[in-house]
Amino acid sequence: MAATDFKDYYAILGISKTATGEEIKQAFRKLARKYHPDVNPNNKQSEAKFKEVNEAYEVLSDPEKRKKYDQFGQYWKQADQGFPGGGFSPDMGGVDFGQYGSFNDFLTELFGGAGPRSSRQSYSHRTSTARPGEGFGGFNDFSFQDPSARGSQDTEAIISLTFAEAFSGVQKRFSLGNETIDVRIPAGAKAGTRLRVKGKGQINPMNQQRGDLYLKVELQPHSFFQIEGDNLLCEVLITPDEATLGASIDVPTPDGQVNVKLPAGVRSGQSLRLRGKGWPISKGGRGDQFVKVGIAPPKELTAQEREYYEKIRSIRTYNPRSHLAQVKL
């Protein structure tokens, strides 16, 4: 595996490097259900994510594989195939790792430090991709991109927020392996928002430079609100008499209850706009809140209520289905 193909299995599962076996299993089950092909038919992105989650679980659930992965990072497969004990790794161009006690010994020699060989050598700092006609028989043919030119090892992890935290912004304490960092989440974060934390990614073994941490926001479901773009959606139930005669009702918003006037004759499914009561916008201001009206007839009636409803039915002149008499194939 090339350095640029490295996958952070801990970030993929959204867990810390100190996670227990049970925590790994729970994280896997949650993501497997979310991205399973049966739940997301014909969704290539979910299918790829499902395979990635399975790959991460296969490694981290195996104590031996996890140990090598934690020790050698992106080169854990090569270490598994090539050292200790000799052998050749196909991804590393036929390098014999058997002569090295650890991968650090290999890196020391590769970049000019003292190593297992008797003398230092000078290596070509080209890209690690083989060209036609180039051999990979020994170190003179082994090529790495110059460490100073390589990109740092960025890491991605998932951070779960409540609607209140995402709406107002919050400072969260985030565990990254053995390190704990405080992250400021700006107001208006949404599901899928990626937040960059400089210098908190993985350490590049080639140059010891540290990459960045990217936190992907996951919003916990809310019992009343939903987000659509910069707008908030909600549904409020009203009674038949309120729909017929109109009414003033209290509706929850992020700023508290507001009084909304229902026009007489409002229909079920109709939405009312509350301007400026939606989600915070990064450039300033707020989106809108849309209140969808649903008419809910009472399930139980008192004797007097039933009497009045029957009187209304006996004198009612409006028939919302009158036009159906003209419908034909």
Side-chain angles (χ1 to χ4, degrees):
M1 180 185 295
T4 54
D5 296 330
F6 175 64
K7 295 180 180 179
D8 187 337
Y9 293 144
Y10 291 99
I12 289 172
L13 295 183
I15 57 177
S16 71
K17 291 186 177 181
T18 58
T20 64
E22 185 60 31
E23 289 172 336
I24 292 172
K25 184 184 295 184
Q26 290 177 358
F28 166 71
R29 287 178 176 175
K30 177 183 177 182
L31 294 173
R33 285 194 297 267
K34 180 178 180 180
Y35 295 110
H36 197 282
D38 291 344
V39 181
N40 305 275
N42 302 319
N43 188 324
K44 297 296 184 183
Q45 188 174 0
S46 291
E47 182 180 344
K49 189 68 176 177
F50 181 74
K51 291 180 180 178
E52 194 175 53
V53 168
N54 271 287
E55 179 183 331
Y57 180 70
E58 181 183 353
V59 174
L60 298 185
S61 63
D62 185 310
E64 287 301 317
K65 290 182 180 179
R66 182 182 180 183
K67 181 179 179 181
K68 290 185 175 66
Y69 178 80
D70 289 342
Q71 183 177 2
F72 300 109
Q74 65 202 54
Y75 300 105
W76 74 276
K77 286 187 177 180
Q78 287 81 359
D80 191 30
Q81 297 168 9
F83 68 84
F88 292 90
S89 167
D91 287 310
M92 296 297 286
V95 178
D96 182 4
F97 281 100
Q99 60 185 306
Y100 302 101
S102 70
F103 197 73
N104 285 334
D105 291 342
F106 162 68
L107 291 178
T108 299
E109 180 177 359
L110 180 62
F111 293 112
R117 294 190 181 182
S118 59
S119 61
R120 299 181 180 181
Q121 299 183 29
S122 175
Y123 305 110
S124 171
H125 298 305
R126 299 169 294 166
T127 68
S128 58
T129 303
R131 295 185 177 90
E134 288 185 338
F136 283 91
F139 276 109
N140 288 328
D141 298 317
F142 189 83
S143 301
F144 264 108
Q145 185 179 7
D146 190 332
S148 62
R150 295 185 65 84
S152 297
Q153 297 298 104
D154 293 336
T155 302
E156 183 171 293
I158 294 174
I159 186 167
S160 182
L161 303 177
T162 65
F163 263 54
E165 290 172 334
F167 179 87
S168 302
V170 66
Q171 184 155 320
K172 297 280 283 187
R173 181 153 289 182
F174 189 83
S175 295
L176 187 67
N178 297 324
E179 185 178 8
T180 300
I181 59 176
D182 290 322
V183 179
R184 178 66 190 175
I185 310 296
K190 302 176 185 175
T193 297
R194 295 176 80 240
L195 305 171
R196 180 186 179 191
V197 184
K198 291 185 178 181
K200 293 298 181 180
Q202 288 192 330
I203 297 176
N204 190 323
M206 302 299 181
N207 55 20
Q208 297 303 305
Q209 291 182 3
R210 193 166 183 181
D212 297 330
L213 169 65
Y214 288 88
L215 295 178
K216 187 175 181 181
V217 172
E218 181 181 84
L219 274 187
Q220 300 169 17
H222 194 276
S223 60
F224 184 72
F225 295 111
Q226 290 183 315
I227 296 180
E228 186 177 273
D230 295 322
N231 300 320
L232 280 176
L233 310 181
C234 65
E235 183 174 8
V236 174
L237 299 179
I238 63 174
T239 61
D241 57 282
E242 288 175 327
T244 302
L245 303 175
S248 292
I249 63 172
D250 289 331
V251 176
T253 75
D255 307 307
Q257 299 274 346
V258 298
N259 190 261
V260 177
K261 293 188 178 298
L262 296 175
V266 65
R267 292 176 176 269
S268 183
Q270 185 174 339
S271 290
L272 307 175
R273 182 197 297 260
L274 304 182
R275 296 189 182 277
K277 294 296 183 182
W279 203 250
I281 300 174
S282 58
K283 296 181 180 179
R286 298 257 296 273
D288 300 328
Q289 180 175 335
F290 289 87
V291 182
K292 184 179 179 181
V293 173
I295 300 175
K299 293 184 178 180
E300 296 181 0
L301 297 172
T302 66
Q304 188 175 23
E305 286 174 333
R306 181 173 294 278
E307 178 185 354
Y308 287 163
Y309 270 112
E310 289 176 347
K311 284 183 179 180
I312 291 174
R313 181 169 62 183
S314 67
I315 63 175
R316 176 172 42 80
T317 58
Y318 173 62
N319 180 7
R321 300 175 299 281
S322 59
H323 66 287
L324 298 181
Q326 309 300 322
V327 174
K328 297 179 181 179
L329 289 177

